[in-house]
Amino acid sequence: MDRDAFRLSTLRKPPGWPKNISIFLQSLAEDRRKRAIAVILSGFDSDGAAALRSIKDAGGLVFAQEFKTASQPDMPKSAVETGCVDQVLSPAGIAAKLQDIGKDRARSRAGGGLTEQVISKRMRGGD
């Protein structure tokens, strides 16, 4: 309220606002290393962006939601600005990539011949 009028304002983080997604992604990078996959979807602020370098340094993959499909594009934009995002896709595109990765990794475990390096290259957009 401002002088008896209702006014919208930008959401402000209170001091000590937790960076839950960054904490999770850092843990994911440490635990899963090159098999880590981060997906940054619609959301406020830049939570998650700080930990993307750890995902990349571990050899993992990072996907971000296309800005035009995000109801709140702050998080995907912040992720892309880090330079750590492998691909920017629609939510359906991300789901299809994750499904492909799962199939490729399952084939690899079953002796299907694809190495983790080949799978990673394919998912980054290479053939």
Side-chain angles (χ1 to χ4, degrees):
M1 297 294 293
D2 182 23
R3 298 186 199 144
D4 297 322
F6 181 75
R7 301 199 195 287
L8 295 177
S9 64
T10 305
L11 177 67
R12 302 216 191 288
K13 293 188 308 183
W17 183 276
K19 293 286 192 178
N20 296 331
I21 296 170
S22 289
I23 293 167
F24 166 72
L25 292 176
Q26 181 67 42
S27 175
L28 179 69
E30 291 169 5
D31 184 65
R32 302 304 297 161
R33 308 285 312 146
K34 67 183 179 186
R35 297 178 65 81
I37 301 172
V39 177
I40 306 297
L41 300 172
S42 178
F44 288 103
D45 202 18
S46 61
D47 195 7
L52 295 180
R53 173 57 45 207
S54 62
I55 297 283
K56 298 307 297 169
D57 288 348
L61 296 168
V62 179
F63 298 103
Q65 183 177 358
E66 289 177 334
F67 309 148
K68 68 183 179 184
T69 66
S71 60
Q72 181 42 257
D74 290 358
M75 284 176 58
K77 281 183 180 179
S78 293
V80 169
E81 288 169 0
T82 67
C84 295
V85 173
D86 293 297
Q87 292 188 353
V88 178
L89 302 166
S90 68
I94 293 170
K97 285 287 186 183
L98 294 174
Q99 190 172 37
D100 290 344
I101 292 168
K103 287 178 184 176
D104 286 346
R105 287 183 175 174
R107 263 186 263 141
S108 176
R109 281 191 302 275
L114 289 177
T115 66
E116 195 64 36
Q117 185 178 12
V118 171
I119 294 168
S120 182
K121 182 179 177 187
R122 286 180 57 193
M123 293 307 109
R124 286 183 170 86
D127 290 327

